[in-house]
Amino acid sequence: MITVENLTKYFGNNLVLNNLNTVINKGEIISIIGPSGSGKSTFLRCLNLLEEPTSGKIIIDGVNILDKKNNPNRLRQKMGMVFQSFNLFDHLTVLGNLTIGPVKLLKMSETEAKAQGRDLLNMVGLAYKENSFPAELSGGQQQRVAIARCLSMHPEIILFDEPTSALDPTMVSEVLGVIRRLASDGMTMAIVTHEMNFAKDVSTRVLYMDEGRIYEEGTPSEIFDKPQKEKTREFIYRIRSFNYHINDKNFDLFDLKSGIERFCTKHFLDSRSTLRIQLVVEELLQLCFFEGDRDKRNHHIEDNGGLNICISYSEKNNELSVEFSAHKSLVTILNQVENTDGISINILKGIAYLSETITDDRITLRAVIS
Ligand code: ADP
Ligand code: MG
């Protein structure tokens, strides 16, 4: 239905959409998630030409809508858009908001437009409000009118830009309920949202956007239950992390420890967790730098790009972990605990679940703190 090719948008020197490619098929319900500023709104606004893309193609039913010789207004009518801030016509009644478009643009008769408007109000549960003005309605009601108004133009796809984020929490579900209803009626939709549970159960596909690109996409269970790429994981699990790089054995241990302490304070970790992180880090350092064949080990670390320490905390599942990663020549060293007195490894095993992975030329030792 819609094919997006190499869509790029600059605001001045700011690259906001970076060569974005995707296809939206009829009947799909696509959720677009990602950190704020990643270009989600700009993407929707480019799709229906509220913003002019810098380059690329948007092909709808075989026609490139960015091609100047095609009529953008006719093509735009195939798309409805629902905004965070409702954007109703304040001087018109609820029913007036639903009839103006069909009468002026679709050349529908006034009678026909009113009949259609009442049907739509019925569908969104607001038949009794047809003579009210937008200012007399709650936010949730205004947004339901905005959705009805959008439907009054018979769009083939509806683009929603954070339709519930301006609402009082008590009104979110009435609006999501209407969107769910449209989904079950088979409407094609693209929805930018922060409502992760909603996105998970309503959508057929999820796009995770970061830095103006579709960074990862998949089914809801692929994205929400087992995201593959680092930034998606950080976003989904609301991971906060602290990174520290060590280049040689004479690193500043006090600086590292005070960094860990600041991180823990900032994220309100309790003193037990803070102590455990410090202990895990110290024992891992012990294994990496001080036990076994010490000189050999120091050379391994110093000659191969150093050691990265990453402490992360997931706000979603409360998981706390410490990762050490280094060049894979350290693999034998991290494994050679038999050569040591075993104290460090036993302390570690008592408070953390240890696992090791090797990708490309790096080895990562992960300790999940229990
Ligand atoms: P999101 O919806 O993911 O939060 P936006 O698409 O709103 O992201 O914004 C992406 C980037 O584009 C931001 O850096 C924002 O400041 C910039 N931006 C958005 N709209 C405009 C505009 N009209 N003029 C200049 N910069 C803009
Ligand atoms: Mg936005």
Side-chain angles (χ1 to χ4, degrees):
M1 185 176 179
I2 303 182
T3 303
V4 176
E5 286 177 11
N6 302 324
L7 188 67
T8 298
K9 172 70 180 173
Y10 280 91
F11 284 112
N13 291 326
N14 187 7
L15 176 60
V16 174
L17 296 178
N18 183 1
N19 256 308
L20 202 135
N21 291 284
T22 195
V23 173
I24 301 176
N25 297 303
K26 202 167 172 52
E28 276 197 295
I29 297 153
I30 296 181
S31 291
I32 302 168
I33 60 171
S36 114
S38 57
K40 304 180 298 296
S41 296
T42 306
F43 175 47
L44 289 193
R45 294 171 65 82
C46 281
L47 273 184
N48 78 348
L49 304 177
L50 288 173
E51 294 289 353
E52 189 181 350
T54 310
S55 62
K57 287 184 184 170
I58 298 172
I59 300 162
I60 300 183
D61 297 335
V63 179
N64 178 13
I65 64 171
L66 301 181
D67 195 335
K68 294 280 187 288
K69 68 177 188 290
N70 296 313
N71 177 352
N73 285 326
R74 207 171 49 81
L75 294 160
R76 192 187 276 154
Q77 269 175 25
K78 295 185 180 192
M79 279 187 258
M81 182 132 175
V82 174
F83 302 88
Q84 186 177 335
S85 51
F86 328 133
N87 294 11
L88 292 172
F89 303 117
D90 290 332
H91 62 292
L92 295 179
T93 63
V94 164
L95 191 59
N97 267 277
L98 270 61
T99 54
I100 184 167
V103 168
K104 290 220 159 129
L105 300 167
L106 303 181
K107 309 294 173 212
M108 213 182 258
S109 74
E110 191 78 32
T111 327
E112 218 183 334
K114 278 187 173 160
Q116 172 186 270
R118 291 188 173 114
D119 281 347
L120 291 169
L121 285 177
N122 212 12
M123 191 204 123
V124 300
L126 292 170
Y128 67 113
K129 293 287 188 189
E130 69 168 70
N131 294 318
S132 302
F133 285 88
E136 296 164 347
L137 305 181
S138 73
Q141 290 170 335
Q142 289 186 56
Q143 193 61 303
R144 285 186 283 154
V145 173
I147 294 172
R149 182 182 61 178
C150 178
L151 290 167
S152 75
M153 297 299 289
H154 308 165
E156 291 175 22
I157 178 172
I158 305 183
L159 312 175
F160 290 89
D161 192 0
E162 300 195 27
T164 60
S165 58
L167 299 177
D168 191 287
T170 57
M171 293 167 189
V172 168
S173 72
E174 65 193 55
V175 171
L176 295 183
V178 168
I179 301 176
R180 269 182 222 275
R181 160 83 193 269
L182 296 178
S184 65
D185 290 348
M187 177 58 86
T188 310
M189 300 189 278
I191 310 166
V192 172
T193 185
H194 287 292
E195 300 286 340
M196 296 299 155
N197 290 330
F198 171 74
K200 191 171 170 177
D201 61 50
V202 81
S203 40
T204 52
R205 189 150 55 103
V206 180
L207 309 183
Y208 172 73
M209 282 187 67
D210 210 318
E211 292 170 3
R213 285 172 174 271
I214 297 172
Y215 178 81
E216 185 168 351
E217 66 178 288
T219 62
S221 89
E222 283 167 345
I223 298 296
F224 292 108
D225 300 335
K226 35 186 182 311
Q228 299 296 310
K229 296 173 81 177
E230 191 185 332
K231 288 185 176 180
T232 323
R233 286 175 48 83
E234 284 181 9
F235 182 81
I236 297 293
Y237 297 127
R238 296 200 295 274
I239 293 175
R240 309 285 175 247
S241 56
F242 168 74
N243 288 282
Y244 199 86
H245 187 77
I246 292 176
N247 262 326
D248 65 82
K249 62 180 185 300
N250 297 317
F251 65 93
D252 185 345
L253 181 63
F254 294 102
D255 183 51
L256 168 61
K257 292 182 83 166
S258 71
I260 293 173
E261 198 147 334
R262 278 196 303 277
F263 171 79
C264 293
T265 309
K266 184 168 157 201
H267 299 292
F268 305 105
L269 298 181
D270 58 25
S271 57
R272 175 178 172 275
S273 303
T274 308
L275 270 169
R276 291 194 159 200
I277 295 175
Q278 300 279 22
L279 193 57
V280 165
V281 169
E282 276 171 39
E283 298 307 329
L284 284 173
L285 285 168
Q286 184 74 17
L287 280 179
C288 290
F289 283 105
F290 303 114
E291 290 192 357
D293 186 347
R294 186 179 300 184
D295 285 339
K296 189 169 150 206
R297 194 162 308 178
N298 290 342
H299 284 303
H300 270 293
I301 292 172
E302 289 171 16
D303 296 345
N304 289 296
L307 177 73
N308 277 317
I309 299 177
C310 175
I311 293 160
S312 47
Y313 170 61
S314 159
E315 284 180 13
K316 185 172 174 202
N317 50 19
N318 246 321
E319 189 182 270
L320 197 54
S321 68
V322 177
E323 276 184 8
F324 272 42
S325 74
H327 188 266
K328 70 179 177 200
S329 57
L330 267 176
V331 64
T332 52
I333 291 163
L334 291 175
N335 275 337
Q336 263 172 20
V337 287
E338 312 84 63
N339 297 344
T340 72
D341 60 14
I343 291 177
S344 293
I345 199 76
N346 283 325
I347 293 176
L348 281 168
K349 282 183 175 163
I351 55 173
Y353 171 77
L354 304 176
S355 62
E356 245 174 11
T357 49
I358 300 181
T359 41
D360 302 327
D361 60 348
R362 306 285 292 177
I363 171 147
T364 302
L365 178 75
R366 186 170 153 82
V368 178
I369 296 173
S370 39

